[in-house]
Amino acid sequence: MLKKMECISISHKTAASEKRQKFYVPKEKAQDFLREIRAVTGAGQCVLLSTCNRTEIYVQGEENSFRGLEEALARISGSGSGQIRKLARRYQGRKALRHLFRVVCGMESMVLGEDEILGQTRDAYMSAKEAGYTGYELNSAFQAALSCAKRVKTETMISKTAVSVATLAANEVAHLPLACKTVLLMGSSGQMGGIILKNLLSQKNVRVIATVRSHNGICLSGSPQVEHVDYQERYAVLEEADAIISVTASPHYTLTAEEVRACIRSPKERLFLDLSMPPDLDAGIGELPHCRLVALDDMKSLARENNRRKRQAFANAEEILEEELEKLCKTLAFHRFTEADTHWKERYAGCSAEKLLYLLRDGLDSSSFETVLKMLTDTVM
């Protein structure tokens, strides 16, 4: 049976945040999940990509691994197979490769052209590779996709004036109608938290209170705009904050509605931004007086204008993607050919150019055969 790459995807395009979080696999559980995927599908190679906006499994093995992939997703999420079939998109062969390229290039992101997905995919791939879950096919696919993404970012405007969920969050703070703003930031030591902090510090008259966990030590930013407090003191400083941003990997709420109600005394308007998966902030906070809660799915509306401006860059990126995808497909096709017939050189050693041309003429359609003839003519000339 033919081996080809397959992908099953549950993303912001198919599932709301409360549904996506059921399928989120934290890094510390990724290896166990990959082991399970290999067991239930029989796939020789597999990579798991799990972020706040998507959970995707890429496998290379016997054709049609989707039933096994659905079973694995059902076990981690507690969802029925029928529900998974409604939420998941499935890709196979060239379509799976194209989807991978689009994801890595930021073309499937909530915010078109965002940069975080490139690093997230690289980390997911390297983790699977180092654990021995990849081989020639997936190595070639992911390396080509990462290379294509770098080319897209260099040759198009898709990532110029880069906008991501993190930068959109910082922009929401910038739009607050206040001369001076105090922001409580929980999770500044993480990748996205670091981007948010950098963006906040680029704004004028912004004071940041960043929480740190005492067992992790305090990592000073070196900026007089930043004050560090122990995470346990987050409720104590809540009254000072005009905006609260939470982007941690905590398994529980960083703020609950009940505690927030008890801690805030002044009636000023407060902005709460939750950029975590699973959610950090109790949804009930958005129902409190003078509290506006913006969660991950709310970022879609904020991203629309950014995406509109990048339509031409998107078209340019598509051209590069198809060019790089074609190269990869040829590489994989040649590899499959040489793998299936290890003695191909000996078999064709006595084949004349005339005989080979007749074989190609009889086996190819007219368009493909004309392309071969043109290539040979251009090479000779």
Side-chain angles (χ1 to χ4, degrees), residues 183 207-211 221 223-229 237 240:
V183 181
R207 169 194 173 214
V208 179
I209 303 175
T211 64
S221 70
S223 170
Q225 292 174 253
V226 182
E227 173 187 340
H228 291 82
V229 299
V237 297
E240 303 176 53

Side-chain angles (χ1 to χ4, degrees), residues 198-251:
K198 181 180 179 181
N199 277 272
L200 290 174
L201 295 180
S202 68
Q203 300 176 21
K204 295 181 179 180
N205 301 321
V206 173
R207 169 194 173 214
V208 179
I209 303 175
T211 64
V212 293
R213 294 186 181 273
S214 55
H215 58 272
N216 287 340
I218 293 179
C219 180
L220 296 175
S221 70
S223 170
Q225 292 174 253
V226 182
E227 173 187 340
H228 291 82
V229 299
D230 191 278
Y231 175 76
Q232 300 300 326
E233 300 298 316
R234 63 194 185 283
Y235 284 110
V237 297
L238 192 59
E239 170 64 19
E240 303 176 53
D242 302 297
I244 299 89
I245 304 175
S246 193
V247 55
T248 77
S250 175

Side-chain angles (χ1 to χ4, degrees), residues 22-43:
K22 295 180 181 179
F23 301 93
Y24 177 72
V25 182
K27 289 182 180 179
E28 60 271 18
K29 296 183 180 180
Q31 297 299 327
D32 292 337
F33 190 55
L34 286 172
R35 193 177 302 113
E36 180 179 357
I37 292 169
R38 178 177 279 180
V40 297
T41 64

Side-chain angles (χ1 to χ4, degrees), residues 282-288 291-293:
D282 182 353
I285 292 173
E287 300 173 5
L288 298 177
C291 294
R292 179 165 71 97
L293 175 61

Side-chain angles (χ1 to χ4, degrees), residues 169-178 181 200 203:
N171 288 344
E172 281 295 282
V173 174
H175 294 153
L176 292 176
L178 300 169
K181 302 152 193 170
L200 290 174
Q203 300 176 21

Side-chain angles (χ1 to χ4, degrees), residues 7-9 66 70 81 84-86 88-92:
C7 168
I8 191 167
S9 168
F66 292 125
E70 289 170 358
S81 57
I84 290 173
R85 292 189 184 108
K86 290 180 181 178
R89 289 182 178 175
R90 298 157 189 81
Y91 305 91
Q92 193 174 63

Side-chain angles (χ1 to χ4, degrees), residues 17-86:
S17 177
E18 64 271 14
K19 292 181 179 179
R20 293 200 307 275
Q21 66 179 289
K22 295 180 181 179
F23 301 93
Y24 177 72
V25 182
K27 289 182 180 179
E28 60 271 18
K29 296 183 180 180
Q31 297 299 327
D32 292 337
F33 190 55
L34 286 172
R35 193 177 302 113
E36 180 179 357
I37 292 169
R38 178 177 279 180
V40 297
T41 64
Q45 305 172 49
C46 48
V47 173
L48 167 69
L49 175 61
S50 191
T51 72
C52 58
N53 280 327
R54 66 182 65 251
T55 292
E56 299 188 337
I57 309 167
Y58 296 85
V59 299
Q60 181 81 18
E62 299 300 330
E63 189 173 350
N64 203 342
S65 301
F66 292 125
R67 184 180 294 275
L69 295 175
E70 289 170 358
E71 291 175 5
L73 288 172
R75 274 195 283 275
I76 65 165
S77 66
S79 304
S81 57
Q83 179 71 4
I84 290 173
R85 292 189 184 108
K86 290 180 181 178

